[in-house]
Amino acid sequence: MAKIVVITSGKGGVGKTTTSAAVATALALKGHKTVVIDFDVGLRNLDLIMGCERRVVYDLINVINGEANLTQTLIKDKRVDNLYVLPASQTRDKDALTTEGIEKILAELSKTFDYILCDSPAGIERGALLAMYFADEAIVVTNPEVSSVRDSDRILGVLASKTKRAEEGKEKVKEYLLLTRYSPERVEKGEMLSVEDVQEILSIPLLGIIPESKAVLKASNSGVPVSLDKESDAGQAYLDAVDRFLGETRAHRFINVEKKGLLQRLFGKKKAG
Amino acid sequence: MDNATNHAIKVEPAFVLKGSLFTLSVLQLLDSDLKKLGRELSEKIRLAPKFFHYAPVVIDLSKLALSPNQPFDFQACNQVLRGHQLIPVGVRGGSAQMHQAAQAAGFAVMIEPHSNTADKNQPNLANRKTIENNAQNNVQEAGGKILKEKDLKELKNLKDLETGLENSEENLNNNFKKSGNLLITSPIRSGQQVYAQGGDLVVVASVSPGAELLADGNIHVYGTLRGRALAGINGDVKARVFCHKLQADLVAIAGHYKVFEDVRADDDDFYKQLYLQDGQLCIGSL
C-alpha cells in the first residue's frame, strides 16, 4: 500500500514544485519506488524541474479520460532508479480533473509504488483540493513571510476538513511544516520571521528548514532536482528533511548565522554546512 | 406494481428544509405617516447612498400609536420601504389584527426568541456600533460533524466591512452537544468558523488570524486569540470573552464590537477578559 503525500502551501511561489522534485528524488535514492504527480493542470512545471519536459507524450488528463494508460504516461527518470513522473496537461484546464478519475489512478499506482507525491497547485480551488483529497500525509511548504504563513494556516484548515480522511472521520492527515527560503541573517536582523514565530502560528511538526540558496535556481534551470546537488546547502537540507520524514533524527542545519573566519572573509568563500 | 420497479426509480427532491438562525435589523415605526417615513428615508440615502444596501428588515409596530379602527396600509408601507433600498421581511409587536393585515399584504409575522433584558436593547438602525449577522446554517450530520455556512455582512456601520466566508466543516469527534457548550482542542485555522449554539465555546488551543469564533454564551480561549470572537450573539449582554493572550482583530459582545487597529504592546496582552459595561466593550485583566 502506497503512502500518498501532498505537497501544498496555499501561497504560490514558495517552493512546492521544487520540494516535490527534491523529496521524490531523495526518496527514490533511498530505494523507495516513488512517483510524483503534477496536479497543476494548464500551468504545469514539474516536468521542467524534473528535467523530462521533452519526454512528455501523454499526461494526467489523458489517463483520466481513458485516452492513455498509466504505463504509457509515466515517465521514468533517467538519473535515479525507482523514480517516475506523471505530468499534467499543458493545454487543458482544471475542469478536466475529476475525483473519480484521480481515485482510480491513485488506486492503480498504489499497487506498485511505495510513495505517491502529489504536487499541488497554489490556491484552494479544484486542483489544490483534488491534490490533497486522498492524502495520508501533507508537507505544507511555507516561506517565513506573513502572507505565506497566513495561507499555510488556511490550507491546514482545509486539510482538516476537505479531505477524504476528514469526511470519513478517519485518522487525520499527518501534517509537516517545511520552511523554505530561510535566511538566518535576515532573521537575526529582525527582518524575517523566525522558525519559532512561524511555529507559534502554525503549530505543526517541523520537517525541515531549507535555506535561501542560489542552488535552487541553478537546479530548476538545468532540470536537475536540487537534492541531486549534494554539495549545496539546499540540497543537503532536503536530504535531511527526507531522513526526518522517514523517521530518523537529524539536527536542523543552516539556521544560524555563520561567523566568517578571517580567511573566509578574505577570500569570500561560503561553506555549506 | 412490483417491488422490483419500486427500487429502480429514484426521485431527486426539489428542496430540503433546514433550520437557520438569522439576526435582522428592526425598523421601529414611530409614526404611521408613510409620506414622512419616505422623506426621512430619502434624506438618509441622500447623505449616504449605500446606507441601507437592500438590507432585510423586520418592522416593529409596537410604538405605532394607532386608534383601534385606524387601518395601517401595509402594502403602501412595503412600497415605501422597497423604494428606499430596504427589504421588509416581516413584522412584530403589533396587535393580532395588525398582524393579520400584515400577512394579507405579504409580510411574515416574526416569532420572538425567548426574551431577556437584551431584547430591549436591540440595536436599531441608528446604532452604529452593531454588526448584523446573516445566514447561519447549522446542520448536524451523522458522525458528529457540523456543516456551517455563514455570511457576515455589516449593515449600519459606515465602514464597509463585508466579509464572505465559505463553507467550513469542523470534524468533531470529541464532546459535541447539539445545543450547549462546545469544546475544541485543536487549533482553529484561518478561514474556519465555529459556532457554539446555545452555550459557551471553549477552545484549548490557539485561534489563527482569519478565524472566527461565535457563541450564544461566553468564549474562552486557553491560548492566543487572534482573528475574531463574537460572544453573546443572540443578545446576551452578560457574555464575556476570556483568553490567555489577546491578539484579536475584533471582539464583539451582543453586537457591540471593538476593532483592535493598533498593534498592542506584547506584554500587555496576557490573561484578558472582555465584557460589556454600560454598552461599552471593556478590557480587564484576569
Side-chain angles (χ1 to χ4, degrees):
Chain A
M1 256 324 275
K3 228 186 219 173
I4 302 174
V5 184
V6 61
I7 290 122
T8 183
S9 69
K11 187 103 176 60
V14 297
K16 291 181 292 301
T17 305
T18 306
T19 300
S20 301
V23 170
T25 307
L27 284 170
L29 284 171
K30 296 227 149 199
H32 303 280
K33 197 166 178 204
T34 310
V35 58
V36 57
I37 309 177
D38 192 352
F39 273 80
D40 203 346
V41 180
L43 281 180
R44 73 164 189 223
N45 285 331
L46 186 62
D47 55 313
L48 286 172
I49 310 298
M50 293 295 293
C52 60
E53 73 270 24
R54 292 184 183 280
R55 296 162 58 207
V56 179
V57 180
Y58 295 110
D59 57 61
L60 182 63
I61 304 302
N62 292 135
V63 181
I64 292 179
N65 291 344
E67 295 150 9
N69 63 37
L70 273 175
T71 329
Q72 296 169 297
T73 314
L74 285 174
I75 302 174
K76 188 176 185 323
D77 190 272
K78 283 187 175 164
R79 297 162 296 228
V80 181
D81 273 339
N82 303 313
L83 183 56
Y84 294 78
V85 180
L86 180 50
S89 167
Q90 185 80 78
T91 50
R92 320 276 186 111
D93 63 35
K94 58 175 163 53
D95 296 329
L97 282 173
T98 62
T99 318
E100 303 75 33
I102 297 295
E103 189 166 21
K104 268 174 59 181
I105 292 176
L106 292 176
E108 208 185 313
L109 290 170
S110 287
K111 292 185 205 157
T112 47
F113 282 90
D114 299 322
Y115 286 97
I116 302 173
L117 264 51
C118 299
D119 182 19
S120 175
I124 45 173
E125 300 300 316
R126 178 85 148 272
L129 292 177
L130 264 179
M132 69 169 69
Y133 189 73
F134 296 100
D136 300 314
E137 305 194 359
I139 299 178
V140 179
V141 183
T142 311
N143 284 355
E145 181 261 322
V146 289
S147 51
S148 176
V149 172
R150 174 77 72 98
D151 291 357
S152 291
D153 191 66
R154 184 79 178 88
I155 274 285
L156 286 170
V158 179
L159 275 167
S161 59
K162 291 206 172 148
T163 50
K164 189 156 190 261
R165 277 171 177 263
E167 286 175 7
E168 294 177 355
K170 293 210 186 111
E171 202 190 319
K172 63 174 214 164
V173 176
K174 203 163 167 204
E175 300 144 344
Y176 294 99
L177 172 65
L178 188 72
L179 205 54
T180 49
R181 306 195 69 171
Y182 194 75
S183 166
E185 291 84 17
R186 300 196 75 179
V187 171
E188 194 155 293
K189 281 195 213 156
E191 290 172 4
M192 185 181 269
L193 292 175
S194 68
V195 184
E196 294 77 26
D197 291 333
V198 177
Q199 285 229 275
E200 208 222 316
I201 302 175
L202 297 181
S203 318
I204 52 172
L206 180 65
L207 183 68
I209 303 166
I210 316 294
E212 175 76 58
S213 169
K214 301 201 161 100
V216 172
L217 185 60
K218 266 194 346 194
S220 329
N221 286 340
S222 37
V224 177
V226 72
S227 43
L228 286 179
D229 183 359
K230 299 201 173 96
E231 295 295 304
S232 67
D233 44 3
Q236 289 179 25
Y238 271 116
L239 292 169
D240 282 356
V242 173
D243 285 336
R244 285 185 212 106
F245 183 73
L246 292 169
E248 297 175 35
T249 326
R250 292 274 182 276
H252 289 286
R253 298 191 274 165
F254 315 113
I255 55 174
N256 294 311
V257 180
E258 267 181 57
K259 304 290 179 225
K260 283 191 172 176
L262 177 62
L263 284 177
Q264 282 188 309
R265 271 182 279 158
L266 281 178
F267 295 108
K269 274 222 188 106
K270 186 170 179 191
K271 266 175 43 170
Chain B
M1 185 142 70
D2 60 285
N3 286 336
T5 31
N6 260 347
H7 287 296
I9 300 166
K10 187 181 174 199
V11 180
E12 294 291 0
F15 70 92
V16 170
L17 277 175
K18 295 197 174 177
S20 262
L21 212 62
F22 295 83
T23 310
L24 297 168
S25 295
V26 174
L27 187 115
Q28 195 172 58
L29 284 176
L30 302 170
D31 196 323
S32 54
D33 183 348
L34 290 176
K35 289 219 176 71
K36 186 176 171 196
L37 175 66
R39 280 196 300 273
E40 288 184 18
L41 291 174
S42 293
E43 184 59 23
K44 266 268 180 341
I45 294 178
R46 191 184 68 79
L47 292 170
K50 293 234 170 79
F51 195 70
F52 294 129
H53 205 45
Y54 299 104
V57 284
V58 171
I59 312 302
D60 186 320
L61 306 164
S62 55
K63 289 267 165 72
L64 263 186
L66 290 172
S67 57
N69 289 329
Q70 183 183 358
F72 183 72
D73 191 345
F74 282 103
Q75 283 280 27
C77 178
N78 187 15
Q79 306 285 21
V80 170
L81 292 168
R82 283 178 185 260
H84 290 89
Q85 299 178 20
L86 284 171
I87 314 287
V89 297
V91 298
R92 75 163 188 195
S95 65
Q97 253 181 333
M98 294 190 81
H99 284 178
Q100 265 188 340
Q103 273 182 322
F107 287 78
V109 176
M110 309 303 285
I111 302 166
E112 302 281 350
H114 65 271
S115 65
N116 52 31
T117 45
D119 273 356
K120 302 208 180 79
N121 301 330
Q122 271 307 317
N124 57 38
L125 276 166
N127 188 334
R128 296 167 58 198
K129 280 195 184 170
T130 314
I131 299 176
E132 296 295 308
N133 301 336
N134 280 356
Q136 214 148 13
N137 225 335
N138 206 322
V139 176
Q140 184 187 9
E141 296 180 311
K145 281 180 273 179
I146 312 176
L147 190 72
K148 285 184 210 47
E149 226 178 293
K150 191 179 165 294
D151 211 346
L152 193 79
K153 190 174 176 146
E154 208 227 328
L155 288 174
K156 297 149 203 168
N157 199 303
L158 295 174
K159 278 192 266 184
D160 211 34
L161 250 182
E162 197 158 316
T163 319
L165 293 162
E166 32 164 312
N167 289 359
S168 170
E169 291 168 272
E170 180 81 41
N171 190 339
L172 290 172
N173 291 321
N174 48 11
N175 304 350
F176 171 63
K177 289 179 200 145
K178 185 171 178 180
S179 165
N181 302 330
L182 199 55
L183 171 67
I184 311 272
T185 52
S186 50
I188 300 183
R189 303 287 178 188
S190 205
Q192 289 185 322
Q193 304 150 33
V194 188
Y195 174 39
Q197 186 172 22
D200 284 7
L201 175 60
V202 180
V203 182
V204 188
S206 284
V207 179
S208 292
E212 235 178 56
L213 306 180
L214 301 116
D216 286 338
N218 307 304
I219 295 180
H220 313 247
V221 178
Y222 295 105
T224 304
L225 171 61
R226 301 185 177 95
R228 300 169 153 202
L230 292 85
I233 61 170
N234 269 317
D236 182 1
V237 294
K238 297 215 201 72
R240 294 191 179 204
V241 176
F242 308 95
C243 55
H244 274 186
K245 191 158 187 224
L246 178 64
Q247 293 208 321
D249 301 326
L250 184 149
V251 173
I253 296 178
H256 299 272
Y257 73 95
K258 184 177 168 63
V259 181
F260 295 87
E261 282 176 76
D262 310 312
V263 177
R264 297 150 59 82
D266 227 16
D267 45 355
D268 204 24
D269 289 337
F270 287 93
Y271 305 111
K272 296 289 183 203
Q273 60 172 324
L274 294 103
Y275 53 93
L276 271 186
Q277 197 164 56
D278 304 320
Q280 293 279 359
L281 199 63
C282 306
I283 308 176
S285 292
L286 281 175

